[in-house]
């Protein structure tokens, strides 16, 4: 067996190649992060063997820096393993007590780690191409988070300019309210607006839901408002609403792409009541290839949902907290999906009620239900069977 360790960086990659007997086939060498460098590495590997099943390539998970090299290796048919940097750091420390860390040393460490027989799953073609779905779901997550902050700013500005408005509409964050405030961003402007124009504005924005009565109510409230007349704040409100509208349009476009991918992969996860395209896609994207995990517990550990363990001598950590060391995106998706599944599915609703009856806090009970959900999803994805809803 031939082992190849690669330490990935932005502009170059350090490589080390050895075999099962510990013979150094290629001492630590550096390749540039470009097509010539990739081909140089491939030629060196090809010069050693034509049987790629006897090769294991290991590289650290270094965010986007390893993505192009990873794709190149997979396309060439080389079994490639992506390793958590925490694991390689601990392995390097186990080899020596000396503080020795260089890129070339790291490449050798990765190769030795591969040689040690540590339990790793190769990065499959499915996992690599799943990155597109992961990129979209994470991009959407960031956009939604950005929009939520802007909505908080809108609430703050309305509280300054027209605080009474909040009590006469179901929510400030609706199309009709945004349309109104984008054109008339203060109580004084609304108060002086002609009733016909105000009525038409609300009717069009609400698609006929609001009419003359609501226009009169809003205008009368504006005329008695304690809101401040601050042109600077009004301008900020207009711009903030415009940014929210642009973000919403972008999020809709992202969600269309996510739905297209989910429709093409036919994941049974969408058959679970309460899991929609957004949360289902995020769970699938973060887990990737389910064959990488030998059991649901491995996915729980990856999500950071498994309890931490502390035991030393006679001290045993009985009240363990979740590790929260894995994918925060997966943890977020599982928690949110579980809340809805517990609403829409009787089996999960009963399980949540049972945990609550045991005296567990709601969030703790949800974490137990999330673990149950992971086991169900794991079985469904491995078998391809849809969710069996018990009546």
């Amino acid at each position: 067996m031939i082992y190849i360790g690669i330490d990935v960086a932005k502009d170059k990659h350090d490589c080390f190649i050895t075999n099962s007997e510990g013979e150094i086939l290629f001492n630590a060498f550096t390749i540039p992060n470009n097509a010539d460098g990739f081909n140089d590495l491939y030629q060196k590997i090809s010069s050693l063997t034509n049987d790629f099943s006897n090769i294991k390539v290991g590289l650290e998970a270094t965010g986007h820096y390893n993505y192009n090299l990873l794709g190149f290796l997979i396309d060439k048919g080389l079994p490639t393993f992506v390793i958590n940097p925490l694991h390689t750091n601990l392995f390097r420390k186990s080899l020596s007590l000396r503080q020795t860390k260089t890129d070339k040393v790291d490449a050798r460490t990765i190769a030795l780690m591969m040689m040690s027989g540590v339990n790793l799953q190769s990065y499959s073609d499915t996992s690599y191409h799943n990155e597109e779905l992961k990129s979209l779901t994470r991009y959407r997550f960031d956009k939604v988070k950005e929009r939520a902050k802007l909505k908080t700013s809108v609430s703050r500005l309305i509280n300054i300019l027209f605080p009474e408005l909040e009590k006469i509409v179901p929510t400030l964050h609706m199309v009709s309210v945004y349309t109104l405030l984008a054109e008339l961003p203060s109580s004084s402007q609304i108060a002086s607006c002609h009733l016909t124009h105000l009525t038409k504005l609300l009717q069009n924005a609400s698609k006929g839901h609001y009419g003359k009565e609501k226009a009169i109510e809003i205008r009368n409230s504006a005329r008695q408002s304690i809101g401040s007349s601050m042109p600077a704040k009004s301008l900020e409100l207009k711009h903030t609403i415009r940014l929210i509208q642009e973000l919403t349009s972008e999020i809709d476009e992202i969600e269309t792409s996510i739905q297209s991918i989910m429709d093409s992969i036919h994941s049974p996860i969408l058959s679970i009541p309460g899991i929609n395209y957004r949360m289902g896609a995020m769970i699938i994207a973060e887990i990737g290839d389910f064959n990488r995990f030998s059991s649901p517990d491995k996915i729980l550990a990856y999500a950071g949902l498994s309890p931490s363990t502390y035991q030393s001598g006679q001290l045993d950590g009985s009240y363990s907290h979740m590790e929260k060391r894995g994918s925060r995106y997966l943890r977020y998706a599982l928690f949110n999906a579980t809340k809805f599944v517990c609403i829409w599915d009787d089996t999960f609703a009963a399980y949540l009620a049972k945990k609550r009856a045991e005296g567990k806090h709601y969030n703790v009970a949800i974490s137990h239900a999330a673990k149950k959900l992971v086991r169900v999803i794991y079985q469904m994805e491995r078998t391809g069977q849809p969710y069996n809803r018990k009546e």
Side-chain angles (χ1 to χ4, degrees):
M1 184 69 73
I2 296 171
Y3 301 95
I4 303 161
I6 305 175
D7 184 75
V8 176
K10 180 181 179 181
D11 299 317
K12 51 90 177 179
H13 308 306
D14 290 283
C15 312
F16 181 86
I17 305 178
T18 185
N19 61 18
S20 303
E21 288 71 40
E23 180 186 357
I24 298 175
L25 303 179
F26 282 100
N27 209 345
F29 61 95
T30 302
I31 60 169
N33 186 27
N34 56 33
D36 291 338
F38 289 6
N39 288 325
D40 180 34
L41 173 62
Y42 181 70
Q43 287 171 8
K44 283 183 168 64
I45 296 171
S46 300
S47 69
L48 298 172
T49 179
N50 292 322
D51 184 7
F52 288 169
S53 64
N54 287 327
I55 290 178
K56 285 187 178 181
V57 184
L59 48 89
E60 282 186 338
T62 53
H64 61 280
Y65 291 130
N66 69 7
Y67 189 73
N68 294 329
L69 178 59
L70 178 61
F72 175 83
L73 295 171
I74 290 174
D75 287 343
K76 292 296 185 181
L78 291 160
T80 308
F81 299 76
V82 179
I83 306 169
N84 190 321
L86 179 65
H87 289 168
T88 54
N89 185 41
L90 292 172
F91 187 80
R92 185 180 62 251
K93 288 180 178 178
S94 71
L95 296 177
S96 173
L97 294 176
R98 296 179 62 192
Q99 292 289 337
T100 305
K101 186 189 185 307
T102 67
D103 293 341
K104 287 182 170 57
V105 167
D106 282 349
R108 183 175 182 273
T109 300
I110 293 168
L112 293 177
M113 188 175 180
M114 302 294 296
M115 192 193 304
S116 69
V118 64
N119 186 23
L120 295 170
Q121 289 291 329
S122 62
Y123 207 80
S124 67
D125 186 66
T126 302
S127 297
Y128 176 73
H129 294 293
N130 187 67
E131 289 294 330
E132 184 177 2
L133 187 60
K134 184 188 288 187
S135 295
L136 284 169
T137 54
R138 290 189 175 189
Y139 185 44
R140 180 192 172 275
F141 179 87
D142 292 337
K143 288 288 183 182
V144 170
K145 197 173 180 181
E146 186 180 347
R147 185 177 63 178
K149 290 175 70 175
L150 291 173
K151 285 183 176 182
T152 302
S153 295
V154 166
S155 300
R156 171 181 59 83
L157 291 165
I158 292 174
N159 196 47
I160 296 170
L161 298 166
F162 188 7
E164 295 80 7
L165 181 61
E166 190 172 10
K167 297 178 181 178
I168 54 179
V169 292
T171 173
L172 295 175
H173 308 292
M174 52 195 294
V175 174
S176 52
V177 173
Y178 279 3
T179 303
L180 170 68
L181 295 174
E183 184 174 330
L184 306 166
S186 70
S187 56
S188 58
Q189 288 176 280
I190 295 172
S192 61
C193 181
H194 195 281
L195 183 60
T196 303
H197 179 68
L198 186 60
T199 301
K200 187 176 181 181
L201 186 67
L202 287 171
Q203 277 181 335
N204 292 338
S206 65
K207 296 182 179 179
H209 184 71
Y210 290 145
K212 188 175 180 180
E213 288 185 9
K214 179 60 72 173
I216 292 171
E217 183 184 6
I218 291 175
R219 191 175 70 166
N220 288 341
S221 180
R223 286 175 174 175
Q224 299 172 13
S225 177
I226 60 169
S228 302
S229 180
M230 301 176 67
K233 295 296 183 186
S234 294
L235 185 63
E236 184 182 349
L237 179 59
K238 283 179 62 175
H239 289 180
T240 304
I241 289 172
R242 191 181 303 160
L243 286 172
I244 289 173
Q245 291 169 336
E246 289 175 0
L247 277 172
T248 299
S249 177
E250 291 171 2
I251 290 168
D252 289 343
E253 188 177 354
I254 296 166
E255 289 179 351
T256 299
S257 296
I258 289 172
Q259 184 168 340
S260 177
I261 294 175
M262 288 297 288
D263 287 341
S264 69
I265 63 177
H266 306 293
S267 171
I269 195 173
L270 296 178
S271 66
I272 301 175
I275 295 186
N276 59 17
Y277 277 99
R278 296 187 294 273
M279 287 300 107
M282 203 167 196
I283 292 169
I284 295 298
E286 292 300 322
I287 294 175
D289 185 359
F290 279 77
N291 292 319
R292 292 190 301 137
F293 301 93
S294 59
S295 71
D297 290 338
K298 296 293 177 63
I299 295 177
L300 289 171
Y302 176 64
L305 287 172
S306 57
S308 57
T309 304
Y310 185 86
Q311 191 275 329
S312 179
Q314 295 183 349
L315 178 62
D316 190 359
S318 302
Y319 300 95
S320 302
H321 297 283
M322 284 192 304
E323 290 181 326
K324 292 188 179 180
R325 275 183 120 168
S327 168
R328 65 187 180 97
Y329 297 100
L330 179 56
R331 198 160 53 245
Y332 165 85
L334 286 172
F335 257 84
N336 280 275
T338 302
K339 289 176 183 178
F340 286 101
V341 172
C342 288
I343 293 172
W344 291 98
D345 183 76
D346 292 339
T347 302
F348 277 89
Y351 186 76
L352 179 66
K354 175 177 175 289
K355 292 299 176 182
R356 293 285 283 143
E358 293 173 1
K360 290 180 169 58
H361 185 276
Y362 175 76
N363 287 339
V364 175
I366 284 291
S367 71
H368 282 276
K371 293 172 185 177
K372 178 180 175 69
L373 180 61
V374 166
R375 294 184 177 96
V376 170
I377 292 172
Y378 181 82
Q379 183 63 24
M380 288 168 55
E381 289 291 335
R382 291 292 292 263
T383 62
Q385 297 298 313
Y387 182 69
N388 182 19
R389 187 169 185 174
K390 298 178 181 178
E391 301 294 340

